[in-house]
Amino acid sequence: MSANNVRIAINGAAGRMGRALINAALVTPGAKLSAAVERANSPELDTDAGNLVGLPASGVELGADLAAALAASDVLVDFTRPEATIAALAACVKAKRAMVIGTTGMTPEQKAKIDAAAKEIPICMAANFSIGVSVTMKLLELAAKTFGNTVDVEIVETHHKHKLDSPSGTALVMGEVVAQATGRNLKDVALYGREGQVGARDRNTIGFATIRGGDVVGDHTVMFLGEGERLEITHKATSRLNFAQGAIRTAIWLSGRKPGFYSMREVLGL
């Protein structure tokens, strides 16, 4: 392995996304898995990270000491829960380490803490690190600018039954892209549910529908519904590995950057 490989620590290493991130870090050129962090009572502690994901032993065992993990790493990748991410954020600021955040469901206060931390360390936070989703966002911007306010916009998302937040962070970002492209504020026009005698649809609104069930990794469809035609832009994820690969690619790009809040558009040159 090259001495120039970016040393990457994974927080929440034993979770569904954590395992995908371990896999991606072990096989992506330019990356070196340097640490895998789990909660102190995890039954997976002391397990070799490679063995955990069905790969040869990596020499990195799951541990609970985040400070030690950061000392041995250049970047922390965190796809956990808001409280855990904010705790890890403080540790990254203290250690002056870059951070890739894929956690969704943040409160405004938690987002403010991330914005403040970005003045001290480089951070890339995204609702979805899939390369395909980033391309989808560009297509949505083009469609929204082209249609303007001449169509109705509805966003439908489906995820596995274990997902905690709703709508998904990706769906919300899709709504923000459409709203900004058409001169609207999503907070003013988002409609998150319909029931009973709701009356005729207001064209200015952007509707969201959420489906939860089974093991669906993530499906998103944005519909532009006009008179006599409709355009549907859909992205379907069939594996968490595509999110993980995007996050590891981002970690490599982020290492050595100046403090700041970076977007996937910058990472991908979009």
Side-chain angles (χ1 to χ4, degrees):
M1 222 174 242
S2 168
N4 295 324
N5 285 330
V6 174
R7 301 174 301 163
I8 298 173
I10 308 298
N11 197 25
R16 287 185 294 272
M17 267 306 301
R19 295 179 189 227
L21 288 164
I22 288 172
N23 192 315
L26 288 173
V27 303
T28 301
K32 174 181 172 56
L33 180 68
S34 54
V37 183
E38 254 301 329
R39 65 187 188 279
N41 62 347
S42 171
E44 308 296 347
L45 289 181
D46 301 324
T47 302
D48 185 272
N51 295 157
L52 182 69
V53 299
L55 293 175
S58 64
V60 175
E61 294 184 348
L62 272 68
D65 190 339
L66 179 58
L70 293 176
S73 306
D74 302 307
V75 185
L76 178 70
V77 181
D78 187 305
F79 281 64
T80 55
R81 295 187 180 186
E83 323 80 62
T85 298
I86 295 303
L89 177 71
C92 283
V93 170
K94 183 177 181 180
K96 298 300 181 185
R97 294 296 187 265
M99 191 171 183
V100 174
I101 302 174
T103 305
T104 58
M106 297 283 188
T107 65
E109 293 75 19
Q110 289 167 333
K111 290 179 180 178
K113 289 182 178 180
I114 294 170
D115 288 338
K119 296 177 181 179
E120 302 186 54
I121 61 173
I123 295 174
C124 181
M125 178 177 172
N128 196 310
F129 282 89
S130 159
I131 308 303
V133 164
S134 294
V135 174
T136 300
M137 297 297 183
K138 286 292 290 184
L139 295 175
L140 291 175
E141 182 180 27
L142 173 61
K145 286 182 176 179
T146 303
F147 282 120
N149 291 324
T150 67
V151 295
D152 301 317
V153 180
E154 295 286 324
I155 301 173
V156 182
E157 59 100 343
T158 305
H159 280 84
H160 55 88
K161 61 186 178 183
H162 302 291
K163 186 166 179 61
L164 300 179
D165 54 315
S166 172
S168 71
T170 301
L172 291 172
V173 173
M174 288 176 166
E176 288 173 356
V177 167
V178 173
Q180 290 175 7
T182 53
R184 287 175 276 184
N185 186 325
L186 186 63
K187 291 181 180 179
D188 298 331
V189 301
L191 182 61
Y192 296 112
R194 296 184 179 94
E195 182 179 5
Q197 298 295 321
V198 296
R201 190 190 195 287
D202 179 352
R203 171 148 288 173
N204 284 323
T205 60
I206 296 176
F208 291 83
T210 297
I211 300 170
R212 293 288 179 267
D215 61 355
V216 180
V217 175
D219 294 352
H220 294 86
T221 296
V222 180
M223 294 180 282
F224 298 86
L225 302 128
E227 300 297 329
E229 68 173 352
R230 72 174 180 269
L231 172 66
E232 297 183 3
I233 298 177
T234 297
H235 179 272
K236 294 185 177 183
T238 57
S239 168
R240 289 181 179 82
L241 192 56
N242 69 90
F243 305 139
Q245 289 169 337
I248 298 303
R249 176 174 172 176
T250 300
I252 295 171
W253 183 91
L254 194 64
S255 178
R257 300 275 171 181
K258 294 180 180 179
F261 193 101
Y262 297 91
S263 70
M264 281 298 286
R265 288 194 178 196
E266 292 169 286
V267 174
L268 300 175
L270 295 176

